[in-house]
Amino acid sequence: MIAGALCLDFVNTLDDRFSSEPKELLKSYIDLARFGEDTGILTAGQVDRLFQGSYTSPQAAKEALSSAIRLREAIYAVFVAILNKKPVPAPALLTLNQYVQSAAQHAQLAPAQPGGVKPRFEWRFDFLPIGFDAPLWPIARSAAELLASDDLQFVRACASATCQWFFLDTSKNHRRRWCDMTKCGNRAKFRRFYNRKRRAST
Ligand SMILES: [Zn+2]
């Protein structure tokens, strides 16, 4: 997970979005539950329960996956409009708001883990009993928080034309261009080096 915001990592689960063959990384409900585990939204135990549930109630799991993809595409539509300085499409914002509202119904305040000097509370979600929609609540909330924060101006798309993954540029000078320096960044560096060499030899 490299985007620096849960909702942006979620948008990136449609890989190669701009190619003629985008790669869907959420092919089954199990992929969605795994995303939840990889990002720390869900515990291993919760993921196990969702796995089991998706075998006993495959139809409900399938619907939850479609709902997740609806949320993802709404988040994408909102952020890509902001990136391109275009008006945010009203239907996408409406959809996102529906998920944000359903997330709010399951959110509760709890004291943050001790360790910090300042007392602080944080939002937690009541995952008991865990349902198929549970991973969507923190994702919707993450999108809402980012949209309402000063960090919104630092949302970027990777400068690689074939990648364009979204990320939050938390670098000091806010000039990060690549989703991941070791991936797209190095590829671009290599291409520049290769082109220079080729030009030099002709
Ligand atoms: Zn990239």
Side-chain angles (χ1 to χ4, degrees), residues 150-156 167-170 174:
D150 290 340
D151 283 343
L152 182 58
Q153 59 185 314
F154 303 126
V155 172
R156 311 258 186 271
F167 62 89
L168 184 62
D169 179 6
T170 51
H174 300 293

Side-chain angles (χ1 to χ4, degrees), residues 158 160 163-165 178-180 184:
C158 178
S160 159
C163 172
Q164 306 213 1
W165 272 20
W178 317 103
C179 67
D180 187 345
C184 293

Side-chain angles (χ1 to χ4, degrees), residues 35-54:
F35 174 86
E37 191 177 8
D38 291 345
T39 51
I41 310 172
L42 303 174
T43 65
Q46 289 168 332
V47 171
D48 280 348
R49 275 196 291 284
L50 291 174
F51 274 13
Q52 281 159 17
S54 72

Side-chain angles (χ1 to χ4, degrees), residues 29-128:
Y29 186 82
I30 289 182
D31 295 328
L32 177 64
R34 275 214 192 96
F35 174 86
E37 191 177 8
D38 291 345
T39 51
I41 310 172
L42 303 174
T43 65
Q46 289 168 332
V47 171
D48 280 348
R49 275 196 291 284
L50 291 174
F51 274 13
Q52 281 159 17
S54 72
Y55 287 113
T56 48
S57 316
Q59 190 54 36
K62 219 176 128 191
E63 280 160 24
L65 177 66
S66 309
S67 172
I69 288 175
R70 206 156 49 239
L71 169 62
R72 183 186 68 191
E73 295 313 303
I75 296 174
Y76 169 74
V78 168
F79 279 96
V80 82
I82 293 166
L83 272 171
N84 294 326
K85 301 190 167 48
K86 298 254 165 66
V88 167
L93 190 58
L94 183 75
T95 302
L96 175 57
N97 265 321
Q98 284 164 350
Y99 286 83
V100 169
Q101 281 167 0
S102 104
Q105 281 166 4
H106 299 275
Q108 41 188 256
L109 279 167
Q113 295 299 336
V117 183
K118 295 179 206 153
R120 198 170 72 83
F121 277 65
E122 62 188 17
W123 289 107
R124 292 213 198 119
F125 292 94
D126 55 10
F127 282 157
L128 285 173

